[in-house]
Amino acid sequence: MDAISRINEELTKLAEDYRRSIQTIPYDEEHLNFLNRILKKNRCLQRSFTELLEKLISERINMLPKYEYSTKTNEGKEEACCTVCLNDFHLNEIIRKLPCNHDFHVDCIDKWLKSHHNCPNCRGCALDGH
């Protein structure tokens, strides 16, 4: 599991713990208002954190190398298709290469990596270390 997934998982766990603890605390209206203010701030923080994570993921994806497909760049390779969309690569298309050396259409793999963070072929981590 990569660092981004671990942070996301930890945030989700903290939010669950927070919700459970609120349900068990006896409170009056003043206490309820205070807890609601904290919850609103927590939602704002979660939204900010989610936006930051999405930006970091996009930046990491954009750091992965791209190249223009040609018969020369495919020399000696068996696969000449994107395993995300299952369409063949065509001359002059822009292809993204992952650290595991698997190639994909840029649009296909960028969309995939925004939610998966690993190679769809070998499941190797595509974003750590970049």
Side-chain angles (χ1 to χ4, degrees), residues 57-75:
I57 289 167
S58 290
E59 286 176 6
R60 281 194 170 180
I61 290 170
N62 287 330
M63 291 171 65
L64 294 169
K66 297 185 282 189
Y67 67 92
E68 189 173 312
Y69 183 79
S70 69
T71 52
K72 190 175 183 178
T73 58
N74 191 48
E75 223 172 279

Side-chain angles (χ1 to χ4, degrees), residues 24-127:
T24 61
I25 298 172
Y27 49 82
D28 55 24
E29 191 164 331
E30 184 179 328
H31 194 177
L32 178 61
N33 289 334
F34 174 73
L35 290 175
N36 278 330
R37 284 194 307 272
I38 290 173
L39 186 57
K40 284 179 185 175
K41 286 183 182 182
N42 186 37
R43 285 186 189 133
C44 182
L45 282 173
Q46 281 183 316
R47 203 169 23 255
S48 296
F49 185 76
T50 299
E51 289 168 5
L52 177 62
L53 275 178
E54 288 171 357
K55 183 179 178 187
L56 289 171
I57 289 167
S58 290
E59 286 176 6
R60 281 194 170 180
I61 290 170
N62 287 330
M63 291 171 65
L64 294 169
K66 297 185 282 189
Y67 67 92
E68 189 173 312
Y69 183 79
S70 69
T71 52
K72 190 175 183 178
T73 58
N74 191 48
E75 223 172 279
K77 293 182 185 174
E78 286 181 28
E79 63 183 57
C81 75
C82 174
T83 56
V84 174
C85 69
L86 303 177
N87 289 322
D88 290 339
F89 296 139
H90 298 288
L91 291 177
N92 304 320
E93 282 187 314
I94 303 301
I95 308 300
R96 189 174 302 281
K97 182 176 284 300
L98 298 187
C100 57
N101 285 323
H102 289 118
D103 298 333
F104 305 90
H105 292 119
V106 169
D107 292 340
C108 296
I109 196 62
D110 288 4
K111 185 175 181 180
W112 171 274
L113 290 174
K114 285 179 182 175
S115 60
H116 293 86
H117 311 158
N118 59 5
C119 174
N121 289 357
C122 67
R123 301 294 182 203
C125 187
L127 299 180

